Each structure stands twice: as C-alpha cells, then as structure tokens.
Amino acid sequence: MTTLITNIKELLQVRAISVAKVSGAEMAILPTIKNAYLVIKDNFIADFGSMNDVPKIDTDKIIDATGKIVLPSWCDSHTHIVYAGNREQEFVDRINGLTYEEIANRGGGILNSAKKLNETSEEEIYQQSKARLEEVMRLGTGAVEIKSGYGLTVEGELKMLRVIQQLAQNYSITIKATFLGAHAIPTAYKENRKGYIDCMLNEMLPEIAKNKLADFIDVFCETGYFTVAETEAIIEAGIKLGLKPKIHVNQFNSIGGIQAGVKYQALSVDHLEVMTKEDIMALKNTETMPVALPSCSYFLSIPYTPAREMIAQGLPIALATDYNPGSTPSGNMNFVVATACIKMRMTPEEAINAATINGAYAMGISETHGSITIGKKANLIITKPIPSYYQLPYAFGSNLIETIIIEGEILA
C-alpha cells in the first residue's frame, strides 16, 4: 500500500538523519519543508521533500493537503489511562477547598482508585480503558506509555498490566507498559510499609518479569509516598529483572528523587513542578529526560515545570499528559502543547519538539517515532487548513486536526 500526500503547506519535524532528542537551544529549532510531499509505503515513511521534486510513482491513494500542516503524531510518555470509574467527587471537593494531600489523607486519591479497580472486572477495566485509548488516538497521539499503580495488590497490578498488554495487542498504536506498584502504600499495609515493598519485590516483580508484562518500573518518590531510599531499592530490583526506571519526582517537594533517577540512569524523571537549582544541575549532561506534565499543574492549580530555566541550562524537556482520574482526567496532547506555550513560556517550536521527538525518547522509541524520517513509522497528524503551525497552541480550545494516520492507516 503506497500513499502520497501532496501540496503540504508545511511539513514539520523533518529529520533527514534521525536524532534521539533535542536539548537546550536546539529545542527552539523545528526543521520544516514548505510546499512539501510525503510518501507512505505500508506503515513506514518512504520519502518526502519539496513539491518541486515530487516523484512519479504508482500510488494506491493520494491525499491533497493544500493549506494543511503535517507533523508526526504526538508521543505521550506518561499516562495512567487504565483505571476504573472516576474521581469527579474529589474534583468538587478541591473546588470546595480541600487540597490533593487532604483528599489523599482521608482515603481519597490513589487509594480511592485502587479500591474501585480491585472491585471491577478485568473485562470492564479493558472496555473503559479502550474508550480512553481510542479518544487519545483521535486527538493525535500515535504512541503512549501506560502505567499500572491503581491495583496495589498482586492481582490488581497484574490485572492492570494484562489490560495494557491486551490494548497493545488489539490496537496499532505503539504502547509501552510501566509497573508502578509503588504509587502509594495500600490501606492494608498502612502500618507495614516494609511488608508492601517486600510484596512488590518478591511477589509482583517476579510475576511481571516472567510474563513480560512491563517495559519500565516507576516509583512515586514524594513526601508521604515513597522515600528516596525506598525508591532506590525498588528500582534496583526492577533493573535486575530488565525493567528500565522512570520516576515520578518533585511534584510537591524536592527530596532527592531527581538525583536518584540520574544515579540509576532513569530514562525519564517526570512531573518536576518544584525544581531547585541543584535539581536542574543534577540533570545536566545526563541521558535522563525531564518530562513536564502541564495539564496536571493546570488541573490541580500547582506550579508549572520551570521550562525556561531548564532549557537555559541546556536541558531537554518532553511533554506528556499524565492522563489519570485524579489529577489530569484528559489525554489531550494538543492542550498540553498549548498549555506549555501559554503557562510555561515554551515557544511553539520547543513545545512541538517536546511532544514529538523528546516524547519518543522518554519512552524509548525515538528510533521509530517522533520525527519525519525515512524508515520511521508513518504516524502522522494532518491539520485542517490553518495559517501556520503557531495556530496549534494559539487556538488552544479548537480541534484543528482533520486526519490521523497511524502505522500508515487513516484512523476512521
């Protein structure tokens, strides 16, 4: 199957030679071709260039993109979209003055989601999660990482990871799975933290590794959740079983989680709403990707990741949704990109780089996703006719996407 897209107003994120990520001042550079074409062969990008050089080829389908922008689909490297039910009551509780921590302390938050998940059948969790996955695909996401962490029991965590595996088998979108048993201490272990950590290390992790249910291991390293020492012990155990670490850090406090992530060569450190100078310096010249989650800041009314200071120090940044029932009930990467520009003062170029090539890096798929490069997956967004790509963050409340292509196929 060969598809030719012609008359593209502007083709974004063009990388003749693929890069793993972009950092610092490079984030402001978004390579593009105006008046372009692109060829898809089966599910890969086969060719692209200026319309002046469009080749004469036999095609099965031609798409005329006059007036439209084409870019790689979003790579969302941090989500929790497998869950049961919702936490809309907590949304109202926050409006009425309760903090995220106060809600958690009275049995809400993650523990609320864990209770619902363990009461819900695997098939029902799959059906609910499938609907959310289909929605984010229609919003332009072409690769997604999904975490466990709402089970907090052996069977609950395995149930979540099996649902993630089933989604990956049934949908063309690339899905990476993360084991996040260390999301909170469950009620049953309230007086026995060590007992729960031992359960993760000795019961959950061996089963997950044996059944190849996860790519990554994650820990919520935060005051009131897991300490730095506990985080290090958990990720060490994961590394021994072949799981690469990704860590929740610095959402509410800076307690040394970033330094632990760097020490263990974590693929990413995520959240970063509270950053000290020492945290920023610890990330310099490392292979660990800082991931910002601006729609979480928006929803919880907490600080935003200090992108300008981090980019000024030469760091890369990726953007992700944090799609989850408690702090970010949205998987809309278009809103994430817009919010990064509006609230974090990232330029459109920086935000698009952060949501494509750097997002791909943060989930270990930058060799196949995140840029317009021959041989990469044909995962593309075709916009409606718009004046320029600046319109994407500028018109933050509008759906500017006309066509989604995933693995070379137009999404119905």
Side-chain angles (χ1 to χ4, degrees):
M1 175 77 177
T2 301
T3 302
L4 173 64
I5 308 176
T6 62
N7 302 312
I8 301 167
K9 180 170 185 170
E10 194 162 7
L11 182 62
L12 308 186
Q13 192 58 283
V14 174
R15 308 272 177 182
I17 299 172
S18 183
V19 297
K21 61 181 178 180
V22 289
S23 307
E26 292 176 341
M27 288 197 64
I29 302 167
L30 183 67
T32 75
I33 300 173
K34 293 184 177 178
N35 190 29
Y37 74 90
L38 185 141
V39 179
I40 299 167
K41 178 75 172 170
D42 297 325
N43 57 338
F44 297 102
I45 296 168
D47 191 18
F48 60 87
S50 166
M51 278 300 291
N52 296 329
D53 305 314
V54 66
K56 289 185 170 65
I57 54 171
D58 290 329
T59 59
D60 300 286
K61 185 175 186 63
I62 296 176
I63 299 171
D64 184 352
T66 299
K68 302 166 188 176
I69 308 291
V70 175
L71 65 155
S73 59
W74 308 124
C75 296
D76 187 353
S77 68
H78 184 128
T79 83
H80 307 252
I81 65 177
V82 169
Y83 60 85
N86 63 65
R87 283 170 25 208
E88 59 188 26
Q89 182 57 52
E90 294 177 14
F91 169 66
V92 178
D93 290 342
R94 277 201 308 279
I95 293 170
N96 288 323
L98 289 179
T99 67
Y100 184 86
E101 292 90 339
E102 286 169 339
I103 290 167
N105 289 338
R106 67 177 200 176
I110 294 163
L111 297 181
N112 183 6
S113 285
K115 183 174 183 291
K116 287 177 181 172
L117 185 123
N118 283 295
E119 292 170 348
T120 306
S121 72
E122 190 164 325
E123 176 59 24
E124 176 57 26
I125 293 164
Y126 175 80
Q127 292 299 328
Q128 291 183 28
S129 304
K130 163 177 170 282
R132 290 187 282 267
L133 182 66
E134 289 173 359
E135 179 190 33
V136 303
M137 290 169 71
R138 288 192 297 270
L139 290 167
T141 294
V144 65
E145 179 261 17
I146 308 175
K147 302 176 191 296
S148 70
Y150 292 129
L152 306 184
T153 62
V154 176
E155 182 48 38
E157 289 296 304
L158 293 173
K159 181 161 67 171
M160 289 189 74
L161 289 165
R162 287 194 299 267
V163 168
I164 297 168
Q165 186 180 66
Q166 192 180 355
L167 291 169
Q169 289 167 350
N170 292 346
Y171 287 86
S172 57
I173 183 174
T174 295
I175 295 175
K176 291 290 188 176
T178 298
F179 170 55
L180 178 59
H183 203 187
I185 299 290
T187 306
Y189 287 90
K190 192 174 181 182
E191 307 302 325
N192 184 15
R193 296 177 66 85
K194 185 177 182 300
Y196 180 61
I197 292 169
D198 287 344
C199 175
M200 279 191 286
L201 272 49
N202 301 323
E203 296 181 56
M204 295 182 192
L205 270 171
E207 279 295 307
I208 290 161
K210 183 176 83 175
N211 295 293
K212 297 182 175 162
L213 289 172
D215 304 289
F216 307 117
I217 187 163
D218 196 348
V219 180
F220 190 12
C221 182
E222 179 58 74
T223 303
Y225 293 87
F226 291 87
T227 67
V228 172
E230 290 167 342
T231 297
E232 292 191 351
I234 294 162
I235 62 178
E236 271 185 18
I239 289 168
K240 285 176 184 170
L241 292 172
L243 303 180
K244 184 87 172 166
K246 290 164 67 73
I247 316 178
H248 283 62
V249 293
N250 292 50
Q251 183 174 5
F252 302 111
N253 302 278
S254 173
I255 63 171
I258 285 175
Q259 289 77 3
V262 170
K263 176 180 174 182
Y264 288 94
Q265 297 178 306
L267 183 59
S268 69
V269 285
D270 302 30
H271 271 292
L272 315 179
E273 289 90 343
V274 176
M275 292 289 281
T276 67
K277 183 179 178 183
E278 291 73 25
D279 292 327
I280 292 173
M281 298 311 288
L283 286 164
K284 289 192 74 169
N285 303 313
T286 73
E287 296 304 307
T288 297
M289 176 65 69
V291 178
L293 310 171
S295 47
C296 177
S297 298
Y298 173 86
F299 192 75
L300 293 182
S301 298
I302 60 176
Y304 288 84
T305 303
R308 289 268 53 93
E309 292 93 319
M310 294 167 68
I311 292 170
Q313 288 297 327
L315 296 184
I317 291 179
L319 291 169
T321 63
D322 193 23
Y323 192 177
N324 76 80
S327 63
T328 322
S330 168
N332 189 342
M333 280 292 287
N334 305 285
F335 179 76
V336 167
V337 167
T339 306
C341 294
I342 296 163
K343 294 294 188 181
M344 292 163 57
R345 295 180 50 239
M346 292 178 74
T347 66
E349 292 81 2
E350 289 168 340
I352 291 169
N353 274 323
T356 55
I357 192 65
N358 284 1
Y361 180 94
M363 50 198 296
I365 57 169
S366 51
E367 288 186 4
T368 52
H369 293 71
S371 67
I372 303 297
T373 302
I374 292 173
K376 284 198 175 187
K377 297 282 189 183
N379 288 3
L380 305 167
I381 294 169
I382 304 176
T383 71
K384 296 172 183 175
I386 56 176
S388 77
Y389 62 82
Y390 289 173
Q391 191 83 2
L392 295 172
Y394 170 73
F396 69 92
S398 301
N399 179 10
L400 300 177
I401 296 174
E402 184 167 273
T403 305
I404 301 295
I405 297 175
I406 294 181
E407 299 270 336
E409 295 288 329
I410 294 175
L411 193 66

